[in-house]
Amino acid sequence: MTAESDEFDGAVAKDSRLGSRAPGFVRKSRLLHQSWRVGVFLVGLAVVAGGVVLLPLPGPGWVVIFGGMAIWATEFAWAQRVLRWTRRKVADAARAALDPRVRRRNLLLTTAAVLALAGLAGCYLWQFGLDTPWADS
């Protein structure tokens, strides 16, 4: 790649792996490449918007959002940097979750929460009883 094509591709000088991954014939024509970039942006935007809609609904909202970011990362250096940062943070969180002290703490907190909920359910049943809709009145 030449310096001109690096600039044209939107690549960052400090990391030559960032930038456009469009096919060569697309990168040769400035108009075709800009149209390609607009198309990639719109497809990524639609996928990210679908993921945002899925966040409060049942569905894999975050997975879809990261899928849209991956689509953007095929063309835009900023999205590639965001995905790298996200991967590092997820790897750090996974490593931290495997720490025995953190696992022990999480197990104790989960046990306490389950016992508290069981106690509340027992109090409710003691106070109001269990009245099933199919029971004869």
Side-chain angles (χ1 to χ4, degrees):
M1 275 190 181
T2 64
E4 294 150 6
S5 67
D6 279 347
E7 182 181 326
F8 181 69
D9 291 340
V12 177
K14 65 182 176 182
D15 192 351
S16 63
R17 294 174 294 172
L18 295 177
S20 177
R21 293 193 181 115
F25 74 92
V26 171
R27 284 183 278 160
K28 287 180 182 176
S29 167
R30 186 162 182 82
L31 179 63
L32 186 57
H33 191 241
Q34 289 302 320
S35 301
W36 178 274
R37 288 174 63 96
V38 168
V40 167
F41 180 79
L42 292 176
V43 169
L45 183 64
V47 172
V48 168
V52 169
V53 168
L54 285 176
L55 283 176
L57 300 173
W62 284 110
V63 173
V64 174
I65 289 173
F66 289 127
M69 289 296 296
I71 291 170
W72 279 339
T74 64
E75 195 59 35
F76 301 105
W78 60 267
Q80 293 167 0
R81 287 189 299 267
V82 168
L83 280 179
R84 284 182 184 174
W85 179 84
T86 304
R87 284 186 191 127
R88 274 195 314 271
K89 293 299 179 183
V90 167
D92 292 346
R95 204 171 13 266
L98 293 177
D99 180 17
R101 292 177 303 195
V102 173
R103 291 180 68 185
R104 192 175 312 115
R105 182 200 64 203
N106 289 345
L107 182 61
L108 288 172
L109 289 174
T110 302
T111 303
V114 167
L115 289 174
L117 288 174
L120 288 172
C123 288
Y124 177 85
L125 289 174
W126 179 68
Q127 185 71 29
F128 299 106
L130 181 63
D131 191 20
T132 58
W134 57 83
D136 293 329
S137 298

